[in-house]
C-alpha cells in the first residue's frame, strides 16, 4: 500500500505505469450507471454529453398515438435542420426509416410502446417494437410509457420490465416515461411515486415532468437542471416555436452552459428567422 501511494503521487511515466498501480477505471458519471455493462454506458454516453452529463433530447414521437401533429407534417423539412443541435432524438421506427437521414449522428431513443390512439384508453399500451429491431436501427436506448395509477397500470409496468430484461441481453438502456393523462395528476407526490417505481423495477433512466406550472420553456429548463435533472426532453416547445433552431440552441445554452433564462431568451431573439 505505501508503494502504491508513492506511485500515485509521482507524475513520472515509470511511476504511472508501474505494476503496483491499478489501471484507471472511469465509469460514465451519469447517476446510477456505474454498475452497468460497458455497452450500456457507451450508449448512455452518446445520449448525455460526457463533459456536462446532460442532454437536450428532441421529442418528435407524438404521432404514435395522436397522428398528424402541427410542426411534424414534414419532418424532413422541419426537424432534420435541428438534428445538429440535439443530443438525442426520441422518435418512432417508422420515422427513423422513412425520414431521419442515415448519416445523421444524433443518437436515437426509440419509442417501443404503443397501441391505443387518442380516441381510446391511452394506458392500454403493449410493446410495439422488439429489442432486436431496436438493435437493427442502432438505437441508443428504447422508451416505454409507464402509466402508474392508470387503468392498465400493471400491464404498462410489465411492458417496461420485459424491455429491461431484453435490454440487459442486448446492452440497450430503457427509458421509462412517467405517463400523465386526463385522469392522472401531474404533481410532485404522484411523479415521485411513479419515478421511484420505474427505477426500482430496473429502468436505466426516467423521463418525468416538471411539476410547477406557469413557466416559460427556458425558465422551466433552467429550474429543472438547477434542481438536478440530467437534461431535458422537449418537443412542441421547440418544433412549434416561431424559430425552432433558435429555440433548441437557447435550450442547449441553458442545459449545457448554465445560461440564465433571460440570457438564453436574448440569444433566442438574436437568431434570425428562416427565410420564406
Amino acid at each position: 500500500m505505501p508503494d502504491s501511494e508513492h506511485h500515485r503521487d509521482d507524475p513520472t511515466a515509470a511511476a504511472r505505469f508501474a505494476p503496483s498501480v491499478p489501471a484507471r477505471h472511469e465509469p460514465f458519471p451519469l447517476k446510477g450507471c456505474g454498475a452497468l455493462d460497458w455497452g450500456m454506458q457507451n450508449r448512455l454516453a452518446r445520449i448525455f454529453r460526457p463533459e456536462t452529463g446532460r442532454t437536450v433530447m428532441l421529442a418528435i414521437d407524438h404521432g404514435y398515438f395522436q397522428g398528424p401533429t402541427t410542426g411534424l407534417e414534414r419532418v424532413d423539412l422541419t426537424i432534420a435542420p435541428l438534428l445538429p443541435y440535439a443530443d438525442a432524438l426520441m422518435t418512432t421506427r417508422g420515422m427513423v426509416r422513412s425520414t431521419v437521414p442515415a448519416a445523421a449522428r444524433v443518437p436515437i431513443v426509440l419509442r417501443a410502446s404503443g397501441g391505443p390512439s387518442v380516441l381510446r384508453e391511452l394506458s392500454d399500451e403493449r410493446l410495439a417494437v422488439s429489442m432486436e429491431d431496436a438493435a437493427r436501427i442502432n438505437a441508443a436506448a428504447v422508451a416505454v410509457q409507464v402509466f402508474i395509477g392508470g387503468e392498465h397500470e400493471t400491464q404498462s409496468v410489465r411492458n417496461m420490465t420485459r424491455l429491461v430484461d431484453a435490454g440487459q441481453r442486448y446492452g440497450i438502456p430503457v427509458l421509462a416515461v412517467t405517463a400523465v393523462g386526463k385522469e392522472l395528476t401531474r404533481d410532485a407526490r404522484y411523479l415521485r411515486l411513479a419515478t421511484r417505481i420505474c427505477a426500482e423495477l430496473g429502468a436505466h433512466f426516467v423521463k418525468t415532468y416538471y411539476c410547477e406550472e406557469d413557466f416559460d420553456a427556458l425558465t422551466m429548463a433552467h429550474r429543472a437542471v438547477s434542481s438536478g435533472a440530467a437534461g431535458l426532453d422537449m418537443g412542441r416547445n421547440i418544433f412549434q416555436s416561431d424559430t425552432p433552431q433558435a429555440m433548441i440552441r437557447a435550450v442547449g445554452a441553458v442545459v449545457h452552459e448554465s445560461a440564465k433564462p433571460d440570457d438564453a431568451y436574448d440569444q433566442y431573439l438574436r437568431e434570425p428567422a428562416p427565410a420564406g
Side-chain angles (χ1 to χ4, degrees):
M1 178 66 72
D3 186 49
S4 295
E5 292 295 335
H6 169 73
H7 286 319
R8 189 176 296 118
D9 297 331
D10 188 337
T12 65
R16 289 186 291 112
F17 292 102
S20 59
V21 178
R24 181 178 298 175
H25 175 64
E26 296 183 356
F28 185 63
L30 189 69
K31 186 184 297 184
C33 290
L36 297 180
D37 290 342
W38 187 92
M40 281 204 178
Q41 292 193 43
N42 179 262
R43 283 184 167 92
L44 288 168
R46 290 159 51 193
I47 297 171
F48 296 87
R49 288 192 197 179
E51 62 268 27
T52 64
R54 294 175 178 173
T55 188
V56 174
M57 187 182 300
L58 177 60
I60 62 164
D61 58 332
H62 305 66
Y64 95 96
F65 70 98
Q66 67 183 34
T69 303
T70 301
L72 299 180
E73 299 90 345
R74 286 289 303 272
V75 168
D76 58 325
L77 299 180
T78 59
I79 300 301
L82 305 181
L83 297 184
Y85 309 104
D87 297 305
L89 182 69
M90 183 187 284
T91 187
T92 61
R93 63 178 171 182
M95 197 59 68
V96 168
R97 289 189 164 110
S98 65
T99 309
V100 177
R105 303 187 65 83
V106 63
I108 298 296
V109 178
L110 191 66
R111 171 64 66 175
S113 61
S117 71
V118 289
L119 304 178
R120 305 298 296 271
E121 168 54 47
L122 289 178
S123 69
D124 191 18
E125 285 196 342
R126 300 292 196 279
L127 289 183
V129 176
S130 69
M131 199 61 79
E132 291 89 343
D133 204 32
R136 280 191 287 270
I137 284 176
N138 195 30
V142 295
V144 57
Q145 201 97 317
V146 183
F147 293 84
I148 300 300
E151 181 179 343
H152 299 277
E153 173 188 82
T154 299
Q155 178 176 293
S156 71
V157 171
R158 170 70 170 150
N159 292 340
M160 186 198 78
T161 57
R162 287 174 60 196
L163 266 185
V164 168
D165 289 342
Q168 295 294 103
R169 290 193 296 273
Y170 284 85
I172 299 178
V174 173
L175 170 63
V177 180
T178 58
V180 296
K182 58 186 177 183
E183 80 287 355
L184 299 177
T185 308
R186 188 183 296 196
D187 61 22
R189 184 180 181 186
Y190 168 74
L191 295 171
R192 187 164 55 235
L193 170 70
T195 299
R196 182 60 180 259
I197 288 172
C198 292
E200 292 275 359
L201 291 175
H204 302 103
F205 57 130
V206 179
K207 172 194 166 183
T208 191
Y209 289 84
Y210 190 73
C211 303
E212 298 182 59
E213 300 291 342
D214 301 324
F215 288 114
D216 65 78
L218 295 174
T219 300
M220 180 188 71
H222 181 264
R223 293 197 174 199
V225 296
S226 297
S227 299
L232 296 176
D233 176 74
M234 193 173 284
R236 284 172 292 190
N237 278 313
I238 292 175
F239 64 73
Q240 290 181 353
S241 168
D242 291 337
T243 50
Q245 184 169 309
M247 187 62 181
I248 195 170
R249 287 164 63 93
V251 171
V254 171
V255 171
H256 294 300
E257 302 168 24
S258 299
K260 296 294 191 292
D262 288 346
D263 295 332
Y265 184 63
D266 287 342
Q267 175 183 318
Y268 168 78
L269 293 177
R270 289 195 301 270
E271 187 88 18

